[in-house]
Amino acid sequence: MVLCLLPVVVGAIWFSYANKIIDEINGYNTQSTILSRTESSRESLNYNLKGAAAGYVAGEGNAMLAALEELNPGYKNSMSKVTTPHAPGSAELEASIEAYTAEASKAVDLALSAQYTPAGVASIINGAVFLEVDEQVALSVASARLGLTGATDRGNDNWKFVITAELVITLFITVLAIVLSLISERAIKRADDSEAARHEDRTNMATEPFTHVVATMNDGVLLLSDEQQVLHANPAAQALLGMGVTVGSNYNIPEDGRVEIRKADGSTSSASVTTSRAVTGGQPVTILTIQAD
């Protein structure tokens, strides 16, 4: 029972662990996409803010608004959908993005307002506060990228371990199946040998115990060799068939299953005859039973 359940338990544990590793790897791939999108949005926002500082606002500022939205709350919303562990540095990057977008929004709002002046936008994006938060975002992105690379490498290493474990488990289950098969075959063979022995015990009768049993039977019993020579005749057979039926004489088995017998009062009648095969003293014999009607 334990050997039968063990492959199932091991397989279930492996399947659960494999799914966990696959989910983590997929989660890290998703985070890599989010990180790339974050970098692209920051670069787009900085590019358009520099354009506004130079006196040009493209597409009525839609590109700047889209970039802001993608950064905050876009980054936070996207990461909240990743249910697997977040890579190291993700939380720090979220905080940096919030500080950066808060300062960048001032420049975007000015660029899209009636009070817009290129000099005003330039003073914001060239100010110490904006430069500091912008640099912090760049550093946080690099840190998150490094943490993501390390987490992804660990996930890939775990996946290699899973593949190796799968091969080992497959080999183990294969060997176990072979062992169970051999055990089953041996058990079946022992059962067959036991049954054969019992069958041989039933058919390979010892002559002396057999003659003691049939001696008291009312039915006549003859043991005949393959040459139909009488090997034994119980008293009832001698009474029914006559004293001429003795050991060493020949007796032809009737083909119609009937035989003429002599009754106690001297009259004759017929009786049914049945035959069966057996082995006694290592010799195959025919047991002929005579039953008076």
Side-chain angles (χ1 to χ4, degrees):
M1 187 66 177
V2 174
L3 292 178
C4 293
L5 290 177
L6 185 58
V8 177
V9 174
V10 173
I13 293 174
W14 173 87
F15 183 76
S16 175
Y17 182 70
N19 278 342
K20 178 177 177 293
I21 297 302
I22 292 173
D23 288 342
E24 287 185 0
I25 292 175
N26 289 335
Y28 292 140
N29 291 335
T30 300
Q31 292 176 62
S32 179
T33 301
I34 295 172
L35 193 57
S36 297
R37 193 165 61 235
T38 299
E39 290 180 292
S40 178
S41 297
R42 170 180 166 270
E43 291 172 359
S44 174
L45 182 55
N46 284 346
Y47 175 80
N48 282 278
L49 286 175
K50 289 177 181 179
Y56 177 73
V57 178
E60 300 180 352
N62 289 331
M64 290 187 290
L65 293 173
L68 273 175
E69 182 71 19
E70 186 66 33
L71 288 167
N72 187 22
Y75 177 80
K76 181 178 181 179
N77 290 341
S78 297
M79 290 297 290
S80 67
K81 296 176 182 177
V82 179
T83 57
T84 53
H86 291 179
S90 299
E92 292 80 359
L93 176 57
E94 181 179 332
S96 298
I97 289 173
E98 289 181 358
Y100 167 77
T101 53
E103 194 65 21
S105 295
K106 297 177 183 179
V108 173
D109 291 342
L110 178 59
L112 300 180
S113 70
Q115 291 78 30
Y116 162 63
T117 61
V121 174
S123 66
I124 294 175
I125 66 173
N126 291 325
V129 176
F130 183 86
L131 293 176
E132 182 181 352
V133 294
D134 183 50
E135 182 181 8
Q136 186 60 45
V137 170
L139 292 174
S140 296
V141 167
S143 177
R145 180 69 71 184
L146 182 62
L148 182 60
T149 300
T152 302
D153 289 343
R154 286 193 297 273
N156 290 332
D157 289 341
N158 289 336
W159 179 245
K160 292 177 183 177
F161 169 77
V162 167
I163 296 300
T164 303
E166 179 184 9
L167 294 176
V168 173
I169 291 172
T170 300
L171 179 62
F172 169 75
I173 292 177
T174 301
V175 172
L176 184 60
I178 294 174
V179 171
L180 290 175
S181 177
L182 291 175
I183 292 174
S184 298
E185 288 179 2
R186 290 179 180 178
I188 293 172
K189 186 177 184 303
R190 284 197 298 268
D192 290 343
D193 291 345
S194 178
E195 177 60 26
R198 288 194 296 270
H199 179 72
E200 184 177 356
D201 288 341
R202 289 193 297 267
T203 58
N204 189 15
M205 301 174 301
T207 303
E208 186 175 352
F210 177 76
T211 57
H212 288 168
V213 172
V214 300
T216 59
M217 292 177 58
N218 293 327
D219 295 334
V221 177
L222 297 178
L223 288 186
L224 304 175
S225 68
D226 288 342
E227 293 76 23
Q228 297 192 8
Q229 185 181 46
V230 178
L231 302 176
H232 176 77
N234 72 340
Q238 293 177 341
L240 293 172
L241 299 176
M243 295 304 293
V245 180
T246 58
V247 174
S249 64
N250 289 331
Y251 185 84
N252 295 324
I253 301 173
E255 296 181 358
D256 59 358
R258 304 291 297 180
V259 64
E260 182 178 300
I261 61 173
R262 182 180 60 188
K263 293 184 177 181
D265 60 3
S267 62
T268 60
S269 180
S270 65
S272 60
V273 174
T274 58
T275 60
S276 60
R277 296 288 291 176
V279 176
T280 179
Q283 178 183 0
V285 297
T286 299
I287 302 176
L288 186 144
T289 304
I290 306 167
Q291 295 176 314
D293 296 334

